[in-house]
Amino acid sequence: MSQPLRLGIAGLGTVGVGVVKILRNKVDLLRQRTGRKLLITAVSARDAYKDRSVTLKDYAWESDPVALAQRDDIDIFVELMGGHDGPALNATKAALAAGKDVVTANKAMLAHFGHELATIAEEKAALIRFEAAVAGGIPVIKSLTEGLAGNQISRVMGVMNGTCNYILTQMQATGRGYDALFKECAQLGYLEADPMLDVGGIDAGHKLSLLSAIAFGARVDFESVALEGIQHIALEDIEQADDMGYRIKLLGVAQMTSAGLEQRMSPCLVPKESPIGQLEGGTNMVVIEGDEVGRIVLGGPGAGEGPTASAVMSDIIEIARGIRISTFGQPANTLVESGPSPSVTPAPYYIRLRLQDQPGALAKVATVLGQEGVSIDRMRQYGHSEETAPVLIVTHTTDRNALDIALQNMHKTDVLDGTPITIRIENM
Ligand code: NAP
Ligand code: HSE
């Protein structure tokens, strides 16, 4: 039997406690599967006196996570504190500098500093593994890095924020509005400390940037992800989409185009019958398309103690087995710089707007769209009882830049009331 593998765990919240429980409860199973004993040496959190529903008395306590990361008696630093910089980043850098392997669930830190950390890790012959950082319990990082390593990946897409999917599916199922469901999510404890991370698409954008790096051999570039949240989605949009055979999802898409790597996280209309269209509640789904394998659909719980701790454990077990894989599946110095794609793959768009109820108003809107080459597929006026008329337009496949110019020009007409809502239609 090899030497025990010694772990230092920083962060004893939802995920950290889940990991401690697995390590305590599955000692024999883990030893059988890795051929080594997995030992927690030391732990860290802010409050040393908090009751965490798990026994910690067997482990040394470090109030400073950087000190924990540098201890001589740990082999792996398990970072489960969160936060894109601050203590998580400092401690991760300290661990790597000391030649320790790092396991983390921190998508925010990796989205901002992933390339820098991967470079440091390689210089120190250390590892960073982060299965739990994307889609919680779904083994999507290992699927891309290992299971699909023989494929040229053409597209990765998915629903990677359970809170947004919960809000959108509950709007559909119950007819309650965004504001009521946002409040419910706050009461249920679903929201991140900064809710904009969820509803603004940032958390899901972080995750997409990590998948893109692996799938396309690119440096993590979160700044290049075109982000749009779900805050402006109204019940009306959910209902109109349903009427046309679609569901609205906060969908992330990364694909290599002739113009470069396109990465976007935004609400999209997707066909109701598609796997993503049928995804309910807080679950996640990632679809990967590869030249050899075709299409892979991975679904499951994207958050919570058990699923996220399960993913963290998969990384610890991988290291215990002696498997050593570059952070993003290939050496950091071979990852290419991508930058924002100058254009977005053309698509049909759903546009909801309110028009002054006056002769020629619709014609003016149609003219403005036509001038930019945006062709209308369907158009209808509905629910018309006020002074302004709600109008729904579905375009044919169009260039997003042309549509944006048309929308700017629409504002210059005297017939528009408020700002139109525009949602991409993603056929899959
Ligand atoms: P959490 O419940 O808020 O726990 C955070 C833990 O970190 C707490 O134990 C806290 O200490 C500790 N901590 C915070 N700042 C610290 C500092 N300066 N020094 C030492 N300890 C510190 O968070 P979580 O939900 O477990 O999430 C942990 C990580 O997993 C995050 O990166 C998150 O994005 C990621 N993640 C979470 C989920 C999920 O379902 N929760 C899913 C996927 C990924 P105290 O307890 O003493 O306050
Ligand atoms: N806030 C995230 C979500 C947690 O709702 O999916 C998991 O990363």
Side-chain angles (χ1 to χ4, degrees):
M1 170 103 32
S2 311
Q3 292 288 310
L5 187 71
R6 301 161 305 169
L7 312 171
I9 302 179
L12 296 167
T14 306
V15 185
V17 163
V19 171
V20 173
K21 284 183 190 164
I22 296 175
L23 286 160
R24 289 186 73 85
N25 297 339
K26 296 199 166 126
V27 173
D28 291 340
L29 178 95
L30 295 171
R31 191 169 14 203
Q32 283 154 15
R33 290 191 175 162
T34 62
R36 301 177 73 172
K37 193 168 183 190
L38 305 186
L39 281 179
I40 302 173
T41 310
V43 295
S44 176
R46 279 177 299 216
D47 180 351
Y49 302 102
K50 199 189 264 187
D51 177 13
R52 299 180 190 273
S53 75
V54 68
T55 305
L56 301 171
K57 65 177 173 39
D58 303 331
Y59 321 129
W61 179 270
E62 289 279 4
S63 48
D64 177 6
V66 173
L68 174 69
Q70 292 170 324
R71 283 176 71 108
D72 290 336
D73 59 359
I74 68 160
D75 302 305
I76 303 183
F77 175 63
V78 185
E79 187 284 302
L80 301 172
M81 295 178 285
H84 80 278
D85 54 7
L89 182 64
N90 294 339
T92 298
K93 283 185 173 174
L96 294 174
K100 319 280 186 196
D101 294 334
V102 172
V103 170
T104 180
N106 193 333
K107 58 261 176 174
M109 176 178 74
L110 291 174
H112 289 279
F113 299 102
H115 186 66
E116 183 186 341
L117 293 172
T119 305
I120 300 172
E122 273 174 30
E123 282 164 10
K124 296 290 178 181
L127 297 178
I128 307 173
R129 304 312 299 139
F130 56 97
E131 185 62 72
V134 181
I138 307 174
V140 61
I141 300 292
K142 286 183 179 49
S143 296
L144 262 180
T145 316
E146 299 172 43
L148 300 173
N151 285 261
Q152 192 79 45
I153 304 296
S154 51
R155 185 162 67 154
V156 178
M157 59 187 167
V159 169
M160 292 175 252
N161 184 277
T163 305
C164 288
N165 203 52
Y166 178 82
I167 292 175
L168 293 170
T169 52
Q170 284 294 303
M171 285 172 82
Q172 168 76 43
T174 67
R176 283 186 292 157
Y178 171 85
D179 291 339
L181 284 157
F182 179 88
K183 277 186 199 139
E184 182 180 303
C185 282
Q187 281 157 6
L188 291 169
Y190 287 0
L191 292 171
E192 300 272 347
D194 173 4
M196 271 305 288
L197 290 173
D198 287 310
V199 298
I202 300 166
D203 166 77
H206 287 154
K207 295 167 181 166
L208 184 73
S209 71
L210 301 180
L211 295 185
S212 293
I214 303 170
F216 301 106
R219 293 186 185 186
V220 187
D221 187 3
F222 169 64
E223 302 302 324
S224 294
V225 180
L227 284 183
E228 197 185 311
I230 64 165
Q231 311 93 310
H232 60 282
I233 302 295
L235 216 42
E236 252 176 300
D237 300 313
I238 301 275
E239 288 161 2
Q240 295 297 330
D242 183 45
D243 209 35
M244 294 189 294
Y246 292 99
R247 293 277 181 262
I248 299 180
K249 298 288 174 192
L250 179 66
L251 185 73
V253 180
Q255 59 190 1
M256 191 55 83
T257 72
S258 55
L261 179 57
E262 186 178 313
Q263 305 183 75
R264 52 194 152 78
M265 181 60 66
S266 61
C268 288
L269 269 69
V270 301
K272 228 187 253 190
E273 305 311 330
S274 64
I276 287 182
Q278 291 184 13
L279 189 69
E280 298 286 330
T283 40
N284 284 194
M285 184 171 280
V286 181
V287 177
I288 304 168
E289 293 166 354
D291 59 349
E292 305 294 344
V293 74
R295 177 178 282 200
I296 296 280
V297 180
L298 301 166
E305 179 183 310
T308 314
S310 157
V312 172
M313 284 309 305
S314 76
D315 286 337
I316 295 171
I317 291 166
E318 183 180 289
I319 295 172
R321 285 171 168 164
I323 301 168
R324 300 191 73 77
I325 295 175
S326 303
T327 311
F328 296 106
Q330 60 187 65
N333 64 6
T334 65
L335 296 163
V336 296
E337 243 175 299
S338 52
S341 171
S343 64
V344 169
T345 304
Y349 284 85
Y350 160 108
I351 308 168
R352 177 171 59 80
L353 39 91
R354 295 193 83 87
L355 290 183
Q356 300 296 337
D357 195 6
Q358 63 191 44
L362 265 177
K364 282 188 186 171
V365 166
T367 302
V368 161
L369 288 168
Q371 278 164 346
E372 297 309 318
V374 179
S375 170
I376 296 171
D377 180 25
R378 279 177 272 176
M379 175 149 85
R380 73 170 132 131
Q381 192 169 300
Y382 61 95
H384 181 199
S385 58
E386 300 156 37
E387 278 183 14
T388 55
V391 171
L392 176 64
I393 295 172
V394 176
T395 72
H396 282 292
T397 296
T398 189
D399 181 63
R400 177 76 215 204
N401 294 333
L403 180 62
D404 285 340
I405 295 170
L407 290 168
Q408 282 163 21
N409 292 339
M410 223 180 266
H411 277 290
K412 293 179 194 156
T413 67
D414 55 353
V415 297
L416 202 60
D417 182 49
T419 301
I421 299 297
T422 309
I423 311 176
R424 185 182 170 94
I425 301 178
E426 195 78 38
N427 285 312
M428 47 185 67

